Amino acid sequence: MDIHSYSRPDRVRVRHIDLDLDVDFERKRLLGSATLHFDAGSSRELSLDTRDLEISRVEHERGEAAFHLGERDPILGAPLSIELPPGARWVRVHYRTSLSASGLQWCEPAQTAGKTQPFLYTQSQAIHARSWIPLQDTPGVRVTFSARVRTPPGLTAVMGAEMEESGGEHRFHMPQPVPSYLISLAAGGLAFRALGPRSGVYAEPALLDAAAFEFAETEAMMQAVEEMYGPYRWGRYDLLVLPPSFPFGGMENPRLTFATPTILAGDRSLVSLVAHELAHSWSGNLVTNATWSDFWLNEGFTVYLERRILEKLYGRDRACMEATLARADLAREMAEMASRDHVLEIDLAGRDPDDGCTLVPYEKGALFLTALEQVVGRKRFDTFLRSWFDTFAFRSVATSDFVQYLGRQLPDAAAAVPVKEWLSAPGIPAGAPEPHSDALARVEAAVERWMAGDLIDTSSWSTQERLHFLRTASAPLGRIDREFAFTQTGNAEVLHQWLLMAIREGYEPALARLADFLTSVGRRKYIKTLYAELAKTPEGRARAAAIYEKARPGYHPIAQSTVDQVLMG
Ligand code: BES
Ligand code: ZN
């Protein structure tokens, strides 16, 4: 049972969805129909998830269907219950989305790189698909789908699916069954560039060169994962560069990763995000968390795979740097978090599943897998992972499935590692792996020399080393800036760290970039921490309020509610 869905797949299971949608940029609505094909058995009622959808009518194969839209729950939305005639195999729901659809962002031309065309994109994870499609919105149900999408002339529509243009209509087909949170759509002034035989990038024309450079290693990454964990099963792997208001770094929509433009650093230093989203093609998209309490099975596995890709492509140093930085982030975050949220298998009763999206499922999850790897060695652990992906391919798995499978396949690891404690106890178990990076240790040594007055040469430092420098150096920011010019950085990750420090220290030259950053970028990880840092002092609060008033309309609904919570409590 998934507590975040009103659907009852144990009674009726939807197998395929046909979408027919108009993208109306003027009214900021999707309108059309969703035809759901299902196995109903003897059941006479189909219960779907919706949020803020306006349902005009419902048909079944013999005529009009009686339906009832239940009361709206603030977290879950409203259940749509449809009466089925005996033997029914499909229903067609005619509907339109609302202006407040939580899974859609309608961007004004001013919010795009080209400034002339509007842009729409969806973000369905965790439970936002229901705000643009009436469906069984649970990761325990998988569907194939097809879609016809109409856009205003000159705009391109893309979906995470096989795509084909025909007579001004965009057609899509997804032959592999996917959970609802992986259904995606975007429309805007897009161009395409091939990266390899089975990969490419969609971006606004102004960003296409930069994106093609940044993502040039995509095919190499695909081959790296295939060597370790088996064939890529989705045909193509393309990336879509979204407007900067995209609230996440990336979203692993199958066949078409959605990505923030803030990773276009010009030096490929932030491509761990591509490794991460690509890795989801195995962990998450192929083998899927059964409920949002099992989210660590998606993200912990994916971070583990991401680091293995980095190691294979760029060497151990790079993977260790990222793991070490992330370990420190995890410690910082856990120190400020309620201990009930320290656990991998999380209790989300009465809560929004987005609340469970902390570093715990990501980094504690990856540490847990690393702990298991250390017991049995890499070779056996890789064999185990590969057979996990093969055994549960195109299925949903719960934490208990993992425990069982681990006990059967790697009994020695299951005995040597405190599995229960990893899954259900707060904190990090004693004896957990401790990531260590020699390169970052050298940065620390350099910081000490520099603080003692020596000159240090940082010209060859990577983004990760520069980040570590900022996190360990303690000196007046004016001095750091004069020598290293962080205020001028074009790297979003470094700028974010620098702005956090500038807020803390009241360093005005850098703060001049803050308003601009917060009004153009909507990536939640960045804006949440910056607003939270501002909110710590009365002057900061005033600055935050002034910036937020201007910035809020340009943020995605998910980012708006995050910042609302930070500033309004
Ligand atoms: N699937 C997540 C994004 C997500 C999680 C969206 C939960 C909605 C709810 C994606 O794979 C992800 O983890 N993105 C990270 C980047 C990654 C490199 C850690 C992000 O967006 O920061
Ligand atoms: Zn992820």
Side-chain angles (χ1 to χ4, degrees):
M1 266 303 274
D2 175 1
I3 57 169
H4 292 109
S5 174
Y6 287 114
S7 70
R8 294 297 308 261
D10 53 326
R11 295 184 186 153
V12 184
R13 190 169 277 264
V14 175
R15 300 286 184 184
H16 179 83
I17 301 179
D18 283 317
L19 292 170
D20 191 303
L21 294 173
D22 279 304
V23 182
D24 182 345
F25 278 100
E26 250 147 57
R27 290 177 195 77
K28 298 189 164 54
R29 290 183 195 274
L30 295 176
L31 67 159
S33 67
T35 306
L36 292 83
H37 300 257
F38 45 75
D39 298 335
S42 58
S43 192
R44 301 290 298 276
E45 184 194 349
L46 170 64
S47 181
L48 301 176
D49 294 295
T50 74
R51 179 187 290 127
D52 303 330
L53 293 182
E54 293 173 26
I55 314 284
S56 56
R57 48 187 278 257
V58 182
E59 304 170 73
H60 52 60
E61 50 237 272
R62 279 184 247 152
E64 295 296 307
F67 68 92
H68 172 75
L69 199 57
E71 204 186 310
R72 182 187 195 276
D73 176 272
I75 294 171
L76 302 179
L80 170 64
S81 107
I82 301 169
E83 261 179 52
L84 302 178
R89 281 164 313 162
W90 59 263
V91 295
R92 181 167 300 134
V93 183
H94 297 264
Y95 69 100
R96 60 181 194 176
T97 60
S98 80
L99 288 171
S100 59
S102 61
L104 300 178
Q105 188 174 22
W106 299 90
C107 298
E108 299 296 335
Q111 292 179 269
T112 67
K115 313 282 179 211
T116 56
Q117 310 262 44
F119 202 107
L120 161 73
Y121 65 87
T122 64
Q123 168 57 44
S124 297
Q125 196 180 14
I127 55 171
H128 304 289
R130 64 188 67 177
S131 77
W132 68 283
I133 308 173
L135 42 46
Q136 295 185 312
D137 198 8
T138 168
V141 170
R142 308 177 84 89
V143 294
T144 54
F145 66 85
S146 58
R148 296 153 169 259
V149 177
R150 286 163 299 277
T151 55
L155 295 192
T156 301
V158 292
M159 287 186 92
E162 292 175 8
M163 312 196 210
E164 140 195 355
E165 294 278 308
S166 108
E169 199 181 60
H170 313 274
R171 292 189 187 191
F172 305 94
H173 178 62
M174 190 62 176
Q176 294 96 347
V178 293
S180 54
Y181 78 89
L182 293 176
I183 304 179
S184 62
L185 167 70
L190 290 170
F192 175 78
R193 171 94 46 90
L195 296 168
R198 50 177 177 168
S199 58
V201 58
Y202 293 87
E204 290 189 63
L207 297 178
L208 201 56
D209 284 338
F213 172 82
E214 213 76 27
F215 303 147
E217 287 149 335
T218 301
E219 173 63 30
M221 287 186 180
M222 294 175 78
Q223 288 176 15
V225 201
E226 287 185 312
E227 270 169 41
M228 296 185 283
Y229 305 119
Y232 180 75
R233 305 212 201 193
W234 304 90
R236 293 192 57 84
Y237 179 74
D238 295 320
L239 290 131
L240 168 66
V241 179
L242 290 175
S245 62
F246 183 50
F248 297 101
M251 177 64 213
E252 67 271 25
N253 297 313
R255 296 177 63 98
L256 184 64
T257 281
F258 283 21
T260 170
T262 60
I263 55 169
L264 302 178
D267 59 2
R268 299 182 184 154
S269 63
L270 304 178
V271 292
S272 60
L273 185 131
V274 177
H276 179 97
E277 305 312 337
L278 171 66
H280 273 305
S281 308
W282 287 260
S283 46
N285 299 4
L286 196 56
V287 180
T288 305
N289 53 206
T291 73
W292 299 114
S293 292
D294 309 303
F295 184 55
W296 78 275
L297 289 173
N298 275 16
E299 298 299 344
F301 274 63
T302 297
V303 170
Y304 177 87
L305 264 59
E306 168 196 338
R307 303 263 155 78
R308 294 293 302 278
I309 298 171
L310 292 181
E311 179 173 336
K312 235 175 147 149
L313 261 73
Y314 311 113
R316 242 181 86 76
D317 253 18
R318 171 70 177 276
C320 288
M321 273 196 285
E322 301 233 6
T324 306
L325 288 170
R327 179 68 186 88
D329 290 338
L330 175 66
R332 249 192 306 274
E333 207 182 275
M334 282 177 74
E336 294 188 356
M337 201 190 284
S339 64
R340 67 165 182 168
D341 291 341
H342 284 188
V343 297
L344 290 179
E345 191 179 19
I346 186 175
D347 179 7
L348 290 168
R351 303 172 75 187
D352 190 315
D354 289 342
D355 290 359
C357 189
T358 68
L359 283 177
V360 170
Y362 288 79
E363 297 297 336
K364 185 177 175 180
L367 278 179
F368 175 35
L369 296 183
T370 308
L372 296 168
E373 181 209 300
Q374 287 180 354
V375 176
V376 297
R378 207 165 246 196
K379 200 156 166 269
R380 273 183 68 205
F381 195 61
D382 277 351
T383 306
F384 166 76
L385 286 179
R386 194 174 172 140
S387 73
W388 167 257
F389 295 133
D390 285 339
T391 305
F392 296 102
F394 298 109
R395 286 164 60 184
S396 301
V397 284
T399 300
S400 57
D401 296 315
F402 176 76
V403 173
Q404 227 180 52
Y405 195 72
L406 179 73
R408 250 186 284 128
Q409 304 292 318
L410 297 177
D412 43 343
V417 165
V419 172
K420 244 214 170 104
E421 192 185 341
W422 274 100
L423 295 173
S424 324
I428 302 287
E434 304 266 8
H436 170 81
S437 155
D438 292 336
L440 295 185
R442 283 194 295 274
V443 170
E444 285 161 30
V447 165
E448 269 185 35
R449 278 184 279 120
W450 180 73
M451 296 207 315
D454 287 3
L455 284 177
I456 56 170
D457 179 13
T458 62
S459 55
S460 65
W461 279 4
S462 64
T463 292
Q464 288 69 33
E465 286 162 305
R466 277 148 29 95
L467 275 173
H468 196 58
F469 174 80
L470 285 177
R471 287 178 192 179
T472 38
S474 74
L477 300 197
R479 178 182 167 209
I480 299 182
D481 213 10
R482 269 193 303 284
E483 286 187 47
F484 307 109
F486 280 110
T487 297
Q488 268 74 55
T489 182
N491 185 299
E493 202 66 36
V494 173
L495 180 62
H496 166 246
Q497 178 64 39
W498 182 240
L499 289 173
L500 275 179
M501 296 164 69
I503 296 169
R504 253 172 243 146
E505 311 281 324
Y507 179 60
E508 286 298 330
L511 289 176
R513 284 192 75 179
L514 180 66
D516 182 48
F517 187 74
L518 285 174
T519 40
S520 55
V521 173
R523 188 171 171 185
R524 196 165 65 157
K525 159 179 138 175
Y526 293 154
I527 65 177
K528 181 180 176 184
T529 44
L530 289 169
Y531 282 111
E533 199 59 47
L534 283 168
K536 287 180 182 167
T537 66
E539 313 84 75
R541 272 191 168 273
R543 197 192 279 261
I547 296 174
Y548 191 41
E549 198 189 317
K550 282 215 205 88
R552 192 177 188 281
Y555 289 162
H556 188 284
I558 294 174
Q560 289 179 348
S561 80
T562 301
V563 180
D564 287 350
Q565 269 174 44
V566 169
L567 295 181
M568 276 87 101

